[in-house]
Protein backbone atom coordinates (compact mmCIF):
# COMPACT_ATOMS: atom_id res chain seq x y z
CA UNK A 1 0.00 0.00 0.00
CA UNK A 2 1.51 3.31 -1.07
CA UNK A 3 0.91 6.52 0.82
CA UNK A 4 -0.10 9.93 -0.46
CA UNK A 5 2.49 11.51 -2.72
CA UNK A 6 2.75 15.09 -3.94
CA UNK A 7 4.80 16.77 -6.64
CA UNK A 8 6.79 18.86 -6.93
CA UNK A 9 8.40 19.17 -3.50
CA UNK A 10 9.31 22.81 -3.95
CA UNK A 11 8.32 25.43 -6.47
CA UNK A 12 9.24 29.06 -7.05
CA UNK A 13 6.99 31.29 -9.15
CA UNK A 14 6.59 34.99 -9.73
CA UNK A 15 3.52 37.07 -9.09
CA UNK A 16 0.89 36.73 -11.81
CA UNK A 17 2.01 33.30 -12.97
CA UNK A 18 -0.02 30.10 -12.82
CA UNK A 19 0.91 26.90 -11.00
CA UNK A 20 -0.29 23.27 -10.95
CA UNK A 21 0.34 21.00 -7.98
CA UNK A 22 -0.25 17.26 -8.10
CA UNK A 23 -1.36 14.66 -5.61
CA UNK A 24 -1.64 10.88 -5.79
CA UNK A 25 -4.10 9.37 -3.34
CA UNK A 26 -3.41 6.45 -1.09
CA UNK A 27 -4.48 3.20 -2.67
CA UNK A 28 -8.24 2.61 -2.33
CA UNK A 29 -9.09 6.20 -1.43
CA UNK A 30 -11.63 8.13 -3.50
CA UNK A 31 -11.68 11.46 -1.68
CA UNK A 32 -9.00 14.15 -1.86
CA UNK A 33 -8.88 17.35 0.16
CA UNK A 34 -6.47 20.23 -0.37
CA UNK A 35 -5.17 22.52 2.36
CA UNK A 36 -3.02 25.63 2.44
CA UNK A 37 -0.67 26.02 5.39
CA UNK A 38 0.90 29.42 5.84
CA UNK A 39 3.98 29.73 8.02
CA UNK A 40 3.11 29.36 11.71
CA UNK A 41 -0.51 28.47 11.01
CA UNK A 42 -2.56 25.31 10.86
CA UNK A 43 -3.72 23.92 7.53
CA UNK A 44 -6.67 25.75 5.98
CA UNK A 45 -9.20 23.88 3.87
CA UNK A 46 -9.28 24.85 0.20
CA UNK A 47 -11.63 22.26 -1.36
CA UNK A 48 -12.43 18.60 -1.56
CA UNK A 49 -13.03 16.22 -4.46
CA UNK A 50 -15.07 13.06 -4.22
CA UNK A 51 -15.39 10.73 -7.19
CA UNK A 52 -14.16 13.46 -9.58
CA UNK A 53 -16.63 16.13 -8.40
CA UNK A 54 -15.95 19.11 -6.17
CA UNK A 55 -17.67 18.35 -2.89
CA UNK A 56 -17.06 21.42 -0.80
CA UNK A 57 -14.97 24.54 -0.79
CA UNK A 58 -13.38 26.74 1.82
CA UNK A 59 -12.97 30.50 1.76
CA UNK A 60 -10.68 30.69 -1.28
CA UNK A 61 -11.21 32.72 -4.47
CA UNK A 62 -12.10 31.10 -7.82
CA UNK A 63 -8.50 31.40 -9.04
CA UNK A 64 -7.93 28.31 -6.88
CA UNK A 65 -9.34 25.41 -8.86
CA UNK A 66 -8.88 21.68 -8.97
CA UNK A 67 -9.47 18.42 -10.73
CA UNK A 68 -9.76 14.81 -9.72
CA UNK A 69 -9.04 12.09 -12.24
CA UNK A 70 -10.61 8.62 -12.66
CA UNK A 71 -7.70 7.08 -10.75
CA UNK A 72 -8.52 9.57 -7.93
CA UNK A 73 -5.28 11.50 -8.28
CA UNK A 74 -5.81 15.24 -8.13
CA UNK A 75 -4.48 18.61 -9.23
CA UNK A 76 -4.63 22.02 -7.58
CA UNK A 77 -4.34 24.96 -9.96
CA UNK A 78 -3.73 28.51 -8.87
CA UNK A 79 -3.99 31.36 -11.38
CA UNK A 80 -2.70 34.92 -11.09
CA UNK A 81 -0.40 34.09 -8.21
CA UNK A 82 -0.12 36.59 -5.38
CA UNK A 83 2.63 36.95 -2.80
CA UNK A 84 0.24 35.71 -0.08
CA UNK A 85 -0.11 32.41 -1.93
CA UNK A 86 3.33 31.47 -0.65
CA UNK A 87 2.65 28.50 1.61
CA UNK A 88 2.86 24.75 2.05
CA UNK A 89 0.10 23.02 0.11
CA UNK A 90 -1.07 19.72 1.53
CA UNK A 91 -3.33 17.14 0.04
CA UNK A 92 -5.03 14.46 2.07
CA UNK A 93 -6.86 11.38 0.88
CA UNK A 94 -9.55 9.35 2.58
CA UNK A 95 -12.25 6.86 1.74
CA UNK A 96 -15.79 8.15 1.36
CA UNK A 97 -17.32 11.09 3.18
CA UNK A 98 -17.70 9.79 6.71
CA UNK A 99 -16.56 12.56 9.03
CA UNK A 100 -14.55 10.41 11.38
CA UNK A 101 -12.60 8.65 8.63
CA UNK A 102 -8.94 9.40 8.89
CA UNK A 103 -7.44 11.73 6.31
CA UNK A 104 -3.95 10.67 5.22
CA UNK A 105 -1.71 13.58 4.39
CA UNK A 106 1.01 13.93 1.81
CA UNK A 107 4.35 15.59 2.52
CA UNK A 108 3.28 18.84 0.89
CA UNK A 109 4.49 21.17 -1.85
CA UNK A 110 6.27 24.32 -0.73
CA UNK A 111 5.27 27.19 -3.05
CA UNK A 112 7.19 30.45 -2.98
CA UNK A 113 5.82 33.41 -4.92
CA UNK A 114 8.29 36.22 -5.60
CA UNK B 1 -18.54 29.60 11.29
CA UNK B 2 -16.48 26.92 12.98
CA UNK B 3 -13.29 27.80 14.73
CA UNK B 4 -10.57 25.95 16.64
CA UNK B 5 -8.34 27.74 19.13
CA UNK B 6 -5.10 26.44 20.59
CA UNK B 7 -3.99 29.12 23.02
CA UNK B 8 -0.41 27.93 23.46
CA UNK B 9 2.00 28.15 20.54
CA UNK B 10 4.83 26.66 22.58
CA UNK B 11 4.76 24.30 25.54
CA UNK B 12 7.74 22.80 27.35
CA UNK B 13 7.61 20.12 30.04
CA UNK B 14 10.15 17.84 31.62
CA UNK B 15 10.25 14.13 30.90
CA UNK B 16 7.91 12.28 33.22
CA UNK B 17 5.76 15.33 33.94
CA UNK B 18 2.08 15.50 32.96
CA UNK B 19 1.23 17.41 29.84
CA UNK B 20 -2.00 19.04 28.69
CA UNK B 21 -2.44 20.69 25.31
CA UNK B 22 -5.47 22.91 25.22
CA UNK B 23 -8.04 23.06 22.45
CA UNK B 24 -11.29 25.02 22.36
CA UNK B 25 -13.76 25.07 19.54
CA UNK B 26 -16.82 26.90 18.36
CA UNK B 27 -19.34 25.09 16.20
CA UNK B 28 -23.11 25.17 16.16
CA UNK B 29 -23.67 21.51 15.38
CA UNK B 30 -22.29 18.23 16.68
CA UNK B 31 -18.56 18.27 15.97
CA UNK B 32 -16.17 15.47 15.26
CA UNK B 33 -12.86 16.32 16.90
CA UNK B 34 -9.36 15.09 16.22
CA UNK B 35 -5.79 15.56 17.28
CA UNK B 36 -3.18 15.43 14.52
CA UNK B 37 0.56 15.32 15.19
CA UNK B 38 3.58 16.19 13.10
CA UNK B 39 6.93 14.83 14.26
CA UNK B 40 10.10 16.43 12.98
CA UNK B 41 10.58 15.81 9.24
CA UNK B 42 7.44 13.67 9.05
CA UNK B 43 4.06 14.32 7.56
CA UNK B 44 0.94 15.26 9.45
CA UNK B 45 -0.77 12.19 10.88
CA UNK B 46 -3.80 11.39 12.97
CA UNK B 47 -3.14 10.86 16.67
CA UNK B 48 -6.65 10.25 17.93
CA UNK B 49 -10.30 11.04 17.34
CA UNK B 50 -12.90 11.66 20.00
CA UNK B 51 -15.44 9.25 18.59
CA UNK B 52 -13.10 6.31 19.19
CA UNK B 53 -12.53 7.18 22.85
CA UNK B 54 -9.10 5.68 22.46
CA UNK B 55 -5.73 6.15 24.11
CA UNK B 56 -2.89 6.40 21.64
CA UNK B 57 0.75 6.50 22.80
CA UNK B 58 -0.60 7.25 26.28
CA UNK B 59 -2.54 10.31 25.10
CA UNK B 60 -6.24 10.79 25.77
CA UNK B 61 -8.66 13.58 24.97
CA UNK B 62 -12.15 14.11 26.31
CA UNK B 63 -14.77 16.12 24.51
CA UNK B 64 -16.41 18.58 26.92
CA UNK B 65 -19.40 20.03 25.12
CA UNK B 66 -20.24 22.36 28.00
CA UNK B 67 -16.84 24.02 27.86
CA UNK B 68 -16.44 23.37 24.11
CA UNK B 69 -13.03 21.90 24.76
CA UNK B 70 -11.06 18.88 23.60
CA UNK B 71 -7.82 19.04 25.58
CA UNK B 72 -5.09 16.45 24.94
CA UNK B 73 -3.51 14.90 28.00
CA UNK B 74 -0.74 12.50 28.91
CA UNK B 75 0.20 11.68 32.48
CA UNK B 76 3.92 11.12 31.89
CA UNK B 77 5.53 12.87 28.94
CA UNK B 78 8.34 11.22 26.99
CA UNK B 79 11.04 12.88 24.89
CA UNK B 80 9.65 11.22 21.76
CA UNK B 81 6.39 13.13 22.32
CA UNK B 82 8.13 16.32 21.19
CA UNK B 83 6.23 17.42 18.09
CA UNK B 84 3.71 19.89 16.68
CA UNK B 85 0.16 19.07 17.71
CA UNK B 86 -2.93 20.30 15.88
CA UNK B 87 -6.48 20.09 17.11
CA UNK B 88 -9.02 19.79 14.29
CA UNK B 89 -12.78 19.81 13.90
CA UNK B 90 -14.79 18.14 11.17
CA UNK B 91 -18.14 19.62 10.31
CA UNK B 92 -21.34 17.76 9.61
CA UNK B 93 -21.66 19.16 6.09
CA UNK B 94 -21.14 17.08 3.02
CA UNK B 95 -17.47 17.98 2.66
CA UNK B 96 -16.51 16.94 6.17
CA UNK B 97 -13.81 19.57 5.94
CA UNK B 98 -11.25 19.75 8.69
CA UNK B 99 -10.78 23.06 10.46
CA UNK B 100 -7.42 23.16 12.22
CA UNK B 101 -6.12 25.18 15.11
CA UNK B 102 -2.81 26.98 14.76
CA UNK B 103 -0.94 24.24 16.57
CA UNK B 104 1.11 23.80 19.75
CA UNK B 105 4.79 22.91 19.59
CA UNK B 106 5.46 20.55 22.48
CA UNK B 107 9.01 20.10 23.69
CA UNK B 108 9.75 17.44 26.28
CA UNK B 109 12.98 18.23 28.07
CA UNK B 110 15.28 15.46 29.42
Amino acid sequence: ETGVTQSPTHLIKTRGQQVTLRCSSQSGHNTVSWYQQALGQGPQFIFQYYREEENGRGNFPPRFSGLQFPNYSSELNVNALELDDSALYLCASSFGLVSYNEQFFGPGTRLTVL
Amino acid sequence: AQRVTQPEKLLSVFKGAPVELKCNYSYSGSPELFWYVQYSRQRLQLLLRHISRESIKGFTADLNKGETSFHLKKPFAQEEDSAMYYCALSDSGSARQLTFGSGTQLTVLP
Side-chain angles (χ1 to χ4, degrees), chain B residues 90-101:
Chain B
S90 176
D91 67 10
S92 54
S94 62
R96 305 290 195 263
Q97 68 182 67
L98 285 174
T99 298
F100 285 86

Side-chain angles (χ1 to χ4, degrees), chain A residues 4-9 21-24 32-38 41-48 74-76 87-93 103-111, chain B residues 36 38 42-45 86 100:
Chain A
V4 178
T5 60
Q6 291 185 244
S7 63
T9 306
L21 311 182
R22 295 178 175 83
C23 171
S24 291
V32 173
S33 301
W34 284 92
Y35 295 85
Q36 180 194 66
Q37 186 173 20
Q41 300 296 319
Q44 187 175 358
F45 177 75
I46 303 174
F47 46 53
Q48 181 185 84
S74 177
E75 284 183 357
L76 164 65
L88 182 68
Y89 288 85
L90 298 169
C91 79
S93 74
Q103 293 193 21
F104 291 81
F105 283 82
T109 293
R110 172 76 59 190
L111 173 65
Chain B
Y36 278 79
Q38 187 166 25
Q42 294 187 26
R43 61 186 67 189
L44 197 59
Q45 60 187 280
Y86 293 97
F100 285 86

Side-chain angles (χ1 to χ4, degrees), chain A residues 5-24:
Chain A
T5 60
Q6 291 185 244
S7 63
T9 306
H10 296 90
L11 203 52
I12 299 175
K13 292 285 188 179
T14 56
R15 198 168 46 180
Q17 285 188 309
Q18 178 266 343
V19 68
T20 297
L21 311 182
R22 295 178 175 83
C23 171
S24 291

Side-chain angles (χ1 to χ4, degrees), chain B residues 16-55:
Chain B
V19 62
E20 181 179 54
L21 289 86
K22 292 184 166 52
C23 172
N24 288 91
Y25 68 90
S26 63
Y27 181 60
S28 55
S30 258
E32 301 285 350
L33 285 151
F34 306 81
W35 278 97
Y36 278 79
V37 61
Q38 187 166 25
Y39 300 102
S40 179
R41 298 187 182 84
Q42 294 187 26
R43 61 186 67 189
L44 197 59
Q45 60 187 280
L46 179 67
L47 179 62
L48 56 80
R49 68 198 100 184
H50 93 270
I51 195 168
S52 303
R53 298 183 181 278
E54 56 202 344
S55 173

Side-chain angles (χ1 to χ4, degrees), chain B:
Chain B
Q2 58 214 51
R3 186 178 182 89
V4 176
T5 302
Q6 294 179 250
E8 303 138 329
K9 271 203 154 338
L10 302 171
L11 182 63
S12 294
V13 300
F14 286 101
K15 177 182 172 182
V19 62
E20 181 179 54
L21 289 86
K22 292 184 166 52
C23 172
N24 288 91
Y25 68 90
S26 63
Y27 181 60
S28 55
S30 258
E32 301 285 350
L33 285 151
F34 306 81
W35 278 97
Y36 278 79
V37 61
Q38 187 166 25
Y39 300 102
S40 179
R41 298 187 182 84
Q42 294 187 26
R43 61 186 67 189
L44 197 59
Q45 60 187 280
L46 179 67
L47 179 62
L48 56 80
R49 68 198 100 184
H50 93 270
I51 195 168
S52 303
R53 298 183 181 278
E54 56 202 344
S55 173
I56 302 292
K57 299 184 178 182
F59 284 98
T60 59
D62 290 319
L63 178 60
N64 185 323
K65 291 188 177 180
E67 296 182 358
T68 59
S69 68
F70 188 57
H71 302 328
L72 183 67
K73 300 176 185 179
K74 185 170 182 177
F76 307 103
Q78 302 299 313
E79 290 181 67
E80 56 265 30
D81 297 328
S82 295
M84 177 68 86
Y85 291 81
Y86 293 97
C87 181
L89 177 155
S90 176
D91 67 10
S92 54
S94 62
R96 305 290 195 263
Q97 68 182 67
L98 285 174
T99 298
F100 285 86
S102 56
T104 298
Q105 178 68 50
L106 173 66
T107 302
V108 180
L109 304 166

